[in-house]
Amino acid sequence: MKKIFFATFALLSSFALTSCDDDYNEGLMPPMTSAEETAQTVGSLAVAAVPTIDLATVSADLVKVCNITAPAISDPNAALDNYTLTIGEDVIAINSNGEVSKADIAGIVESRYGKRPVERTLEGVVRAYVVNNGQSVVAVADPITIKLIPEAPVIENAYYYVGAANGWGGQSYKLVNGGGDVYEDPVFTVTVPAQGGDHWFKIMPESAFSLGSIWDCPSVVGVYTNGTSDLSGKFIVAKNGNDTEGSGANSWCIKEGDVPADFYKISLNMLEQTYTITPITLAAQYYLVGAANSWNADRNTGMTLMFTPVSKGVVSFTTKWTGDHNLKIWSFDDFGDWGKCYGALSDGDASPSGSLTNEGSGAIVCPEGDAFYTITLNFSSMSYTWTKLDNQAPTEYDNISLIGEFNGWGGDHDLTQVAPHNWYGEFTQETSGMLKYRANHDWGVNWGFGSDGDWNVSNGINNIGTNGGGNIYVPAGKYDVYLNDITNSMIFVSK
């Protein structure tokens, strides 16, 4: 180790009183002189490394990062004042035992490397400050290498819901983050069906499924108190608690009566070890707004392009996407409120699939203009997917209309083509009765369902029609009526 010496307080002074002729005059005081002082020194500052420090095992406020041998000081009037540790541009206090604040050193390593719990290396320099009569001298040690492991939980690449929605087994519901480094993006999310009754569940790390039994995993994600129903709070990572309070990771339980919902969105921050459960109640009716309807946001005139319900939380829309082929989506209740429309995470996203958001959403764009595509929206996974139709030249019709008992099966109530192959109209059924759709005011192509009366629109707003299918029973009332002549989707919405 390099030795650094500092000369201090070296004052060499002598004074002489002599006669003008340099003669010595007896009886006069002899000349005053001062003896030469010995130069005072600060000896070398020695610093030695310590083994790798795992911050997760340090419970005290101070952590030892090195061993320090203080410099020797020859002047009894001088004193060692303090030490500092410099790491790059960061300067923190360090005591004579080589200890620093755990919070300080953790902040430095995390700012450089993040919280991933793997060994990291910091290069530092220790300085000792010696003070004498207000004057300070600094002793600088050779650079020291400090090895630390940040204090952070181990985060796996994926987690899985296990509970009421999947029969307490399997990997059907995967919690995922945004796809980046798990320590930079530690929030994992999944949406699961609410099922019926009280909803119990736990979360398993991916590694659990390589074991003989997932319940043998030592790092189950759960709660301390079995049956916790709070929608937010802290979770624990421990061995399976067997649903016994205090024995380990126990089950959440969402009370159906307290939180009615169609789905539950479960979000875990694996770094902070906090959770949030968001109940989701899905609308039955979603509407498209965009180039296809000239961005008409008026509730009275703009709700002409309705998505076809496919399954719970899943809807679709098929057309030829013309113009700028941009769109956004509104639920029935929120139609016209731009702050609540659904769209892409980034405006103008023309990807074949993507994530849905209703927070500052951007326009979704069909991947190909002037082409027939189906867009499918999944509100449980908050995602969308584009599918190009194999048939890019579907049959064209001049008219689509309703015909039935309301007009003695002898005339047509015409609908309007509001987007390519999508028809809409308002219809008043004065007296309950049967009706059908037909094309070109002719029976050659007509749409019905099952046998006569199998579909009563008061029991469900939509069905997929077949040519020559049974008559549709429509109770008296006012309706918005829709038909897609490619998918044969038929919809009656009571007004």
Side-chain angles (χ1 to χ4, degrees):
M1 178 172 290
K2 180 180 178 183
K3 294 180 181 287
I4 303 174
F5 294 89
F6 297 85
T8 62
F9 325 123
L11 303 176
L12 301 177
S13 305
S14 62
F15 301 92
L17 296 177
T18 61
S19 64
C20 293
D21 59 0
D22 292 329
D23 292 332
Y24 174 73
N25 295 312
E26 188 177 355
L28 296 178
M29 182 180 291
M32 296 181 62
T33 61
S34 295
E36 180 177 322
E37 295 187 4
T38 303
Q40 305 300 316
T41 64
V42 175
S44 64
L45 172 62
V47 179
V50 297
T52 299
I53 305 154
D54 185 350
L55 291 176
T57 66
V58 178
S59 58
D61 293 334
L62 297 178
V63 55
K64 189 178 184 68
V65 297
C66 63
N67 292 301
I68 296 177
T69 302
I73 304 170
S74 63
D75 189 336
N77 296 316
L80 185 62
D81 186 45
N82 60 68
Y83 294 92
T84 61
L85 171 62
T86 301
I87 301 172
E89 296 181 354
D90 295 302
V91 181
I92 60 176
I94 184 169
N95 65 23
S96 59
N97 292 324
E99 297 171 323
V100 298
S101 163
K102 178 183 176 182
D104 287 346
I105 199 69
I108 291 173
V109 71
E110 289 169 14
S111 68
R112 286 161 170 75
Y113 298 107
K115 291 189 175 184
R116 184 187 297 274
V118 297
E119 185 180 284
R120 305 297 188 184
T121 299
L122 300 174
E123 298 294 332
V125 175
V126 175
R127 289 176 170 83
Y129 295 83
V130 178
V131 174
N132 185 302
N133 294 326
Q135 300 296 314
S136 182
V137 176
V138 183
V140 184
D142 285 341
I144 184 73
T145 297
I146 303 170
K147 295 184 178 182
L148 305 101
I149 300 174
E151 181 178 13
V154 173
I155 303 178
E156 297 196 20
N157 289 322
Y159 292 83
Y160 292 88
Y161 162 98
V162 177
N166 67 348
W168 292 93
Q171 295 173 264
S172 49
Y173 295 108
K174 182 179 181 180
L175 285 82
V176 295
N177 68 343
D181 182 277
V182 296
Y183 288 89
E184 299 297 328
D185 183 10
V187 178
F188 288 74
T189 301
V190 69
T191 301
V192 299
Q195 299 296 306
D198 294 345
H199 195 110
W200 294 79
F201 70 94
K202 292 182 181 181
I203 304 296
M204 293 291 171
E206 191 171 41
S207 61
F209 294 89
S210 63
L211 303 174
S213 167
I214 58 174
W215 307 113
D216 293 334
C217 180
S219 52
V220 175
V221 179
V223 284
Y224 178 81
T225 301
N226 188 48
T228 293
S229 59
D230 296 337
L231 297 182
S232 62
K234 297 282 289 185
F235 62 78
I236 63 173
V237 179
K239 63 182 180 66
N240 179 39
N242 296 314
D243 298 331
T244 303
E245 183 173 336
S247 65
N250 287 289
S251 299
W252 281 275
C253 179
I254 306 171
K255 305 294 185 183
E256 181 186 33
D258 296 338
V259 191
D262 294 316
F263 292 86
Y264 297 119
K265 178 182 177 182
I266 303 166
S267 295
L268 305 180
N269 187 319
M270 299 306 301
L271 204 54
E272 305 297 332
Q273 298 201 327
T274 58
Y275 71 90
T276 302
I277 300 170
T278 304
I280 299 173
T281 300
L282 299 178
Q285 298 156 227
Y286 290 92
Y287 297 85
L288 184 151
V289 62
N293 76 337
S294 301
W295 294 96
N296 186 350
D298 189 309
R299 287 187 68 89
N300 296 316
T301 60
M303 301 172 75
T304 60
L305 305 175
M306 183 177 172
F307 282 84
T308 296
V310 176
S311 60
K312 198 167 189 177
V314 180
V315 298
S316 69
F317 195 91
T318 300
T319 192
K320 184 177 184 179
W321 299 88
T322 58
D324 63 12
H325 43 284
N326 281 226
L327 73 134
K328 291 188 178 183
I329 305 101
W330 271 309
S331 68
F332 176 85
D333 290 337
D334 296 329
F335 195 98
D337 185 345
W338 290 106
K340 295 182 179 179
C341 61
Y342 291 87
L345 297 177
S346 59
D347 190 43
D349 191 346
S351 304
S353 62
S355 296
L356 282 174
T357 179
N358 61 349
E359 298 177 1
S361 64
I364 303 172
V365 181
C366 182
E368 180 182 356
D370 296 318
F372 285 95
Y373 274 81
T374 296
I375 183 171
T376 301
L377 312 176
N378 188 323
F379 289 95
S380 62
S381 63
M382 289 297 287
S383 62
Y384 64 87
T385 304
W386 290 98
T387 304
K388 188 173 182 178
L389 272 59
D390 292 333
N391 180 11
Q392 289 291 307
T395 302
E396 301 279 349
Y397 300 105
D398 294 329
N399 310 99
I400 299 291
S401 60
L402 297 177
I403 186 171
E405 291 179 338
F406 69 92
N407 60 6
W409 300 98
D412 293 271
H413 179 86
D414 285 334
L415 306 180
T416 301
Q417 188 169 207
V418 289
H421 297 269
N422 285 270
W423 303 80
Y424 164 79
E426 294 180 295
F427 172 68
T428 300
Q429 179 82 310
E430 298 290 350
T431 303
S432 299
M434 301 288 193
L435 58 74
K436 297 185 81 171
Y437 297 84
R438 70 176 182 172
N440 296 333
H441 298 165
D442 185 83
W443 288 107
V445 176
N446 67 87
W447 290 269
F449 180 80
S451 299
D452 289 350
D454 279 356
W455 180 24
N456 179 334
V457 301
S458 63
N459 297 326
I461 66 172
N462 73 290
N463 263 308
I464 301 301
T466 56
N467 188 11
N471 296 331
I472 304 163
Y473 183 81
V474 180
K478 294 183 178 181
Y479 296 89
D480 285 326
V481 181
Y482 304 83
L483 176 80
N484 184 299
D485 66 42
I486 298 173
T487 65
N488 301 327
S489 169
M490 308 178 296
I491 302 175
F492 284 79
V493 178
S494 179
K495 295 171 71 72

